[in-house]
Amino acid sequence: MPSLSPYSRDLDYSYALGLFPASELMKKRPELAHRLLVSSKAEESQGLAALRALCAAHHVREETADKALARVSGKENCFAAVVFDKFQGTLTDGNHLVLHHPGDKGNLGTMLRTALGFGYRDIAVIRPAADAFDPHVVRASMGAIFGLNLRYYDSFEAYRAQFPDHMCYPFMLDASVPLAEGVARKKTPFALIMGNEGSGLPPEFAQLGQPVRIPHSDAIDSLNLSVAAAIGMYAFSQT
């Protein structure tokens, strides 16, 4: 088998590091998997046995690969990983979460996990953006990425050209209404649009659809992006 490289955005494959993310991959997208790496130091457990069984059922080769695991994870205590092919999802006509230039890997992974939890399966990511297939993002999502239709776009205009009829709800201050008011008047299908952690959304988004804001005390200047996304997704998921 060819040797495995430390992760790079340029690779056509990535790694689901750890038992839980790897198991979620095998449950949701087994056709993407092609190698199971297990450490010789891994303790037998119900989780490892289940992962091995899933891989065997889908004819995924198992290898004892201590050096490869250390190389691809950057850690000495990663005991299992599955190598998988990257993918581009196809968005449906349902409600969307649009992430405009997200930069932080942890935030991106957390938002993907939260999106799946609140029933948002269609995720558009607008470049430049953090790499959703970076193993750190995959792990932060706890494997939720494998249950999503995730697609990258080179610009918001490219996304909008494909889905011109979605009602847009940019989360920002200018021209916005309180979140509760936006939810009360929501139209479907909709796109919840979140900006970059530091810069937010560009000013021109204030003219798009109905901007909304999440009210909070003046004791802070803003909410963490993944927290704001979670609040927004939960609010708009309520009937």
Side-chain angles (χ1 to χ4, degrees), residues 150-164:
L150 177 72
R151 189 165 193 87
Y152 274 85
Y153 292 86
D154 289 330
S155 67
F156 179 76
E157 290 73 21
Y159 163 78
R160 193 63 174 152
Q162 188 174 354
F163 296 98

Side-chain angles (χ1 to χ4, degrees), residues 33-92:
H34 47 88
R35 293 169 77 173
L36 167 63
L37 310 178
V38 178
S39 169
S40 63
K41 301 175 184 177
E43 296 182 2
E44 289 298 328
S45 66
Q46 186 175 6
L48 180 57
L51 176 59
R52 279 177 159 150
L54 284 167
C55 289
H58 292 281
H59 309 291
V60 175
R61 175 190 172 101
E62 179 179 336
E63 306 170 32
T64 301
D66 292 6
K67 291 182 179 179
L69 278 170
R71 185 168 62 251
V72 303
S73 70
K75 299 178 179 180
E76 296 296 329
N77 62 345
C78 181
F79 300 123
V82 172
V83 186
F84 69 92
D85 293 323
K86 295 179 181 179
F87 61 93
Q88 275 269 39
T90 300
L91 303 192
T92 74

Side-chain angles (χ1 to χ4, degrees), residues 2-209:
S3 62
L4 297 169
S5 301
Y7 180 75
S8 165
R9 187 188 286 260
D10 296 329
L11 293 174
D12 59 4
Y13 61 88
S14 185
Y15 307 99
L17 304 176
L19 290 176
F20 192 86
S23 295
E24 288 299 291
L25 163 62
M26 294 308 304
K27 292 173 183 176
K28 294 182 170 71
R29 301 293 297 271
E31 72 279 5
L32 300 175
H34 47 88
R35 293 169 77 173
L36 167 63
L37 310 178
V38 178
S39 169
S40 63
K41 301 175 184 177
E43 296 182 2
E44 289 298 328
S45 66
Q46 186 175 6
L48 180 57
L51 176 59
R52 279 177 159 150
L54 284 167
C55 289
H58 292 281
H59 309 291
V60 175
R61 175 190 172 101
E62 179 179 336
E63 306 170 32
T64 301
D66 292 6
K67 291 182 179 179
L69 278 170
R71 185 168 62 251
V72 303
S73 70
K75 299 178 179 180
E76 296 296 329
N77 62 345
C78 181
F79 300 123
V82 172
V83 186
F84 69 92
D85 293 323
K86 295 179 181 179
F87 61 93
Q88 275 269 39
T90 300
L91 303 192
T92 74
D93 290 329
N95 299 322
H96 298 167
L97 175 66
V98 180
L99 303 176
H100 190 270
H101 304 338
D104 185 88
K105 296 175 184 176
N107 276 340
L108 179 55
T110 300
M111 288 188 289
L112 296 180
R113 185 182 185 191
T114 305
L116 186 61
F118 288 140
Y120 296 80
R121 293 183 176 270
D122 295 297
I123 315 295
V125 183
I126 312 301
R127 296 187 179 100
D131 179 7
F133 297 105
D134 186 293
H136 294 92
V137 178
V138 175
R139 190 175 181 90
S141 82
M142 293 302 287
I145 188 173
F146 303 116
L148 300 171
N149 301 317
L150 177 72
R151 189 165 193 87
Y152 274 85
Y153 292 86
D154 289 330
S155 67
F156 179 76
E157 290 73 21
Y159 163 78
R160 193 63 174 152
Q162 188 174 354
F163 296 98
D165 297 327
H166 273 58
M167 178 63 180
C168 292
Y169 293 96
F171 279 66
M172 59 194 312
L173 295 178
D174 294 344
S176 63
V177 300
L179 178 61
E181 183 176 338
V183 170
R185 303 187 313 197
K186 73 178 179 183
K187 299 177 181 179
T188 57
F190 57 74
L192 305 184
I193 308 172
M194 304 288 171
N196 174 268
E197 291 89 346
S199 58
L201 290 170
E204 57 266 26
F205 277 74
Q207 307 304 316
L208 181 68

Side-chain angles (χ1 to χ4, degrees), residues 203-217:
E204 57 266 26
F205 277 74
Q207 307 304 316
L208 181 68
Q210 177 54 71
V212 296
R213 66 181 182 276
I214 301 173
H216 58 73
S217 78

